[in-house]
Amino acid sequence: MRSPWTWTALAAVTGVSATLPFLLAGGDGPRPLSAAEARRMALTPLRAYRDSPAEVTVRAPLPGGTAVVRAVVDEHRHRAVGWFDTGDAAERGLLAWDGAGLEVARPKVDGSAGPLARPASTAEAVRDAARLKPTAWIRRRYGPASLDTALRLTLSLAAARPDDARRIARSGRRHLGTDRIDGRRYDVISAGDAPLTYWIDAAGRLRRVSEDLDDDRTIVVDVTGARVRPGVPEGPWAKS
């Protein structure tokens, strides 16, 4: 029986997936942010904006598994292009998204739609997308699927100016502890009433953000900071 998750529609689905855990070390449990932490967090969207375009890895829960997206996100243009994989060879392909919706494609070598081998890297996926004919992309608006929520989240992490540190300090955000990713230390900070958690380094750069969904599932976006050239191609939007 074919999976309800199809590349042609990326249908809105729900399901159960194991939450990706993080281990907190140090401190005496959740506490209010210090003034210095609030100032550092205020710089996070600006640093993300200045570091863009950059590579991200998205993990969104699906029924019985996880959708993984590796892409380059241009926060200046609010566009992203990359590769998605649901764990099924028949359900993988290229993916592009912006503020209004997403597009999917599975290109052949000649630029038409068809089977696609897994790209060796995000840069290769971006090059594949740049070579693809505009007619190979299938577009739809966002729906309630967890992947849709995750893709929209990636476009909300940056701003051309810093946030207001005083507002952040009053927002109810909490310092949850510290964590290590790839050997580096990060402060883990909750977003007050919002179901978001941020991993931020000593310079205010965002490394990870997670969003808890209503049914105990969790979306995770890792921001590697790696630059991908030539960035986001125009192809997916050429016919818009």
Side-chain angles (χ1 to χ4, degrees):
M1 181 177 179
R2 187 170 178 80
S3 165
W5 183 273
T6 59
W7 76 270
T8 53
L10 286 179
V13 296
T14 59
V16 177
S17 177
T19 298
L20 295 178
F22 58 87
L23 300 177
L24 301 182
D28 297 321
R31 58 167 175 77
L33 297 185
S34 68
E37 289 163 349
R39 288 193 297 269
R40 179 151 47 97
M41 194 167 192
L43 292 174
T44 298
L46 177 61
R47 293 195 182 281
Y49 186 84
R50 289 177 174 175
D51 290 343
S52 183
E55 187 174 1
V56 302
T57 298
V58 176
R59 293 178 177 85
L62 298 177
T66 301
V68 178
V69 178
R70 292 182 172 87
V72 56
V73 176
D74 188 335
E75 300 285 6
H76 302 261
R77 301 165 63 203
H78 299 287
R79 289 179 174 181
V81 168
W83 164 262
F84 76 91
D85 191 346
T86 66
D88 181 345
E91 306 296 342
R92 62 169 62 131
L94 295 175
L95 182 65
W97 67 96
D98 58 20
L102 56 92
E103 301 187 60
V104 291
R106 295 197 301 174
K108 293 179 179 177
V109 174
D110 65 1
S112 59
L116 177 67
R118 187 197 307 270
S121 65
T122 301
E124 182 178 332
V126 170
R127 288 193 293 270
D128 288 343
R131 291 193 293 263
L132 194 60
K133 294 178 180 178
T135 53
W137 294 94
I138 299 173
R139 184 171 180 84
R140 72 159 172 80
R141 293 190 176 276
Y142 290 115
S146 61
L147 181 58
D148 293 35
T149 300
L151 299 181
R152 297 177 75 174
L153 177 61
T154 67
L155 299 178
S156 68
L157 303 177
R161 58 183 58 85
D163 206 339
D164 185 337
R166 288 177 294 182
R167 183 191 65 80
I168 288 175
R170 297 192 301 265
S171 68
R173 301 191 187 200
R174 309 280 289 181
H175 187 280
L176 302 180
T178 61
D179 192 14
R180 287 191 175 273
I181 302 174
D182 297 332
R184 295 191 61 182
R185 179 186 179 279
Y186 295 89
D187 289 295
V188 184
I189 297 172
S190 72
D193 293 334
L196 297 170
T197 305
Y198 301 90
W199 282 250
I200 298 173
D201 71 10
R205 282 189 169 85
L206 180 67
R207 176 60 177 80
R208 175 178 291 171
V209 60
S210 70
E211 180 171 356
D212 295 329
L213 304 178
D214 292 337
D215 50 6
D216 296 326
R217 301 175 304 153
T218 300
I219 290 165
V220 177
V221 177
D222 277 305
V223 183
T224 67
R227 295 296 183 95
V228 178
R229 299 298 184 224
V232 176
E234 292 290 337
W237 295 274
K239 64 179 183 296
S240 298

